[in-house]
Amino acid sequence: MSALLASGLALTGCSGATGNARTDAAEASGDGTLRIGVLLDNTGDQSFLNAPQLAAVKLAVKEINAAGGHKGKPVELLPETISADTAAQAKALAAARADVVIGPTDSSHAAAAIDVLSKAKIAMISPATAAPGLSSYRSGGYYFRTAAADVAQASILVKLAKDGGAKTLAVLHEAGSYGKEVSVAVSAAAKSAGLGTPIDAEFPAGQAQQAATAAKAAAPDAVVLIARQGAQGAIAELNNAGLAGKKLVLSDGAVGQYGQGLGSHALDGARGVLPGTFPSAQFQAGLVGIDPGLKDMTFAAEAYDAVNLAAIAAAAAQDDAGTSIASRLIAVSGGTAGSGGAVAGEPADCHNYKECVDVLHAGKRPNYEGQSGPVSFDSNGDVTAAAYMVYTYGPDNTAKMTGSETARSGGS
């Protein structure tokens, strides 16, 4: 199972784009051909994430073109490259006249992509970046993401603890932006849910003994562990402190198939979450039809939805320019934030490009409900509803999907 990638940047950079393309009115300026680029930025150990996203993008473009394309012309999918040089990829896609770019995957690469693409007035929808700081990064309104920010899981982690009967919970978080930001959100969600949080202890990866001892002294009903690289070591230290099994709730970065890497029954009854929804059989078949060798489907649903949303926004604008797409994305996603590109008509649910275009032709506003669940972008380009899969561990320390939850924000 794959955790969302960590951000390695302080996301405080600036963009040359002015105004806010998400909410400003846009005049048609496209050339009549909708061009979609894909920014594949993972190499090395994370390179397996490229294949499912590329298959999903190709599947969506295939279906869009089968439904008539954009204004009767085929949507063009620009040739992909794989490189850790995000800025160079973004510049190449801009030179190829991309109207929208799907990507990147890694939050630490997002700033480089945003800075290039926003200046070129190219809409950008990431299916995977999850760093909370991206919500306020200055993109001129051209950046969106179909993946939820890491902090969205907080309410679900607290709900799992409360559903298990907990009235108090300890929070242990790994040092770094991911651990700190999610732990703050968990503490706030616990307070809202009426749960006490006697301790929130930070630990460096590989050095969780002191934090586990402090958690034991607090005698909580449950422990929420927020970690990535140091997750296995932290679980072992919690077990040594007598905090094991059903007492544990794991963040998305801590969920993995540990098996014999931990002591017997260490995680028996523990629960954890992973973002997204389990792919439907039909969607899986479609992806495998594109790539018969596909083994992993991480971020495929989010990438598929990103392409469909871009094409639906272009259809609503009757224009393929990046500015026009960005101005309609909130409206066609089901978002309620004020938008200069608002689409007239009563909202109507639709689940693919053809259905949504039919909604437009009927004089209504598409509310796209995709493979990754509801989207509903807010004024920051974030989803206001995030789907999570719940996993429960057995005595062999392996996890199976046992349910699903949806986290919702107020949106703005």
Side-chain angles (χ1 to χ4, degrees):
M1 300 180 189
S2 302
L4 291 180
L5 304 181
S7 170
L9 296 178
L11 296 168
T12 56
C14 61
S15 167
T18 58
N20 187 345
R22 299 185 192 112
T23 56
D24 293 345
E27 294 184 5
S29 58
D31 61 8
T33 299
L34 176 59
R35 297 180 184 87
I36 296 175
V38 187
L39 207 163
L40 301 173
D41 58 326
N42 276 282
T43 57
D45 291 342
Q46 299 295 336
S47 62
F48 72 94
L49 294 171
N50 295 321
Q53 292 177 78
L54 185 57
V57 169
K58 288 181 176 178
L59 176 61
V61 170
K62 178 182 176 181
E63 291 177 354
I64 291 165
N65 286 337
H70 174 67
K71 298 178 72 172
K73 294 181 64 176
V75 172
E76 291 185 9
L77 179 59
L78 299 175
E80 75 278 359
T81 59
I82 297 173
S83 171
D85 190 340
T86 306
Q89 280 197 80
K91 289 174 182 177
L93 290 169
R97 296 189 296 167
D99 299 302
V100 61
V101 168
I102 310 304
T105 303
D106 192 329
S107 290
S108 68
H109 297 170
I114 292 171
D115 288 348
V116 172
L117 297 172
S118 63
K119 289 175 184 177
K121 298 184 177 180
I122 296 170
M124 172 183 171
I125 311 176
S126 171
T129 50
L134 289 170
S135 296
S136 56
Y137 192 85
R138 285 173 284 179
S139 72
Y142 286 94
Y143 168 79
F144 298 78
R145 52 181 166 183
T146 47
D150 288 323
V151 295
Q153 66 187 291
S155 63
I156 304 303
L157 296 174
V158 170
K159 182 178 185 298
L160 292 178
K162 190 170 184 178
D163 287 350
K167 295 183 178 179
T168 61
L169 59 85
V171 181
L172 266 69
H173 72 268
E174 187 174 290
S177 60
Y178 168 78
K180 182 62 176 178
E181 288 161 350
V182 178
S183 71
V184 169
V186 166
S187 294
K191 182 178 180 180
S192 296
L195 300 185
T197 52
I199 184 172
D200 181 351
E202 181 176 271
F203 63 91
Q207 302 177 44
Q209 182 178 11
Q210 186 174 350
T213 300
K216 179 182 180 180
D221 297 325
V223 177
V224 174
L225 174 64
I226 304 160
R228 282 190 169 123
Q229 289 86 354
Q232 183 167 331
I235 294 168
E237 293 293 354
L238 285 166
N239 271 253
N240 292 338
L243 299 170
K246 293 181 179 180
K247 282 185 174 288
L248 301 182
V249 179
L250 309 182
S251 73
D252 61 357
V255 172
Q257 300 292 23
Y258 293 102
Q260 296 181 355
L262 291 170
S264 178
H265 295 265
L267 287 171
D268 190 13
R271 289 147 295 158
V273 300
L274 287 177
T277 58
F278 193 79
S280 67
Q282 181 179 1
F283 185 49
Q284 291 185 60
L287 293 171
V288 173
I290 296 293
D291 181 357
L294 194 63
K295 302 296 183 184
D296 189 283
M297 297 187 182
T298 306
F299 302 134
E302 290 81 1
Y304 176 88
D305 288 347
V307 176
N308 276 302
L309 282 161
I312 296 162
Q318 284 294 291
D319 184 51
D320 55 274
T323 301
S324 294
I325 292 169
S327 74
R328 301 314 198 280
L329 276 169
I330 291 175
V332 302
S333 73
T336 58
S339 173
V343 179
E346 291 295 318
D349 291 353
C350 50
H351 304 86
N352 55 50
Y353 178 75
K354 184 180 184 305
E355 285 185 14
C356 291
V357 169
D358 288 344
V359 167
L360 285 168
H361 289 162
K364 297 181 180 180
R365 176 169 66 88
N367 176 21
Y368 179 73
E369 302 279 338
Q371 290 292 334
S372 63
V375 180
S376 300
F377 290 126
D378 66 13
S379 59
N380 293 319
D382 287 332
V383 296
T384 58
Y388 287 89
M389 297 173 286
V390 177
Y391 286 79
T392 302
Y393 284 85
D396 59 352
N397 301 322
T398 61
K400 293 183 179 179
M401 182 181 171
T402 54
S404 61
E405 297 283 351
T406 300
R408 298 184 184 276
S409 69
S412 63

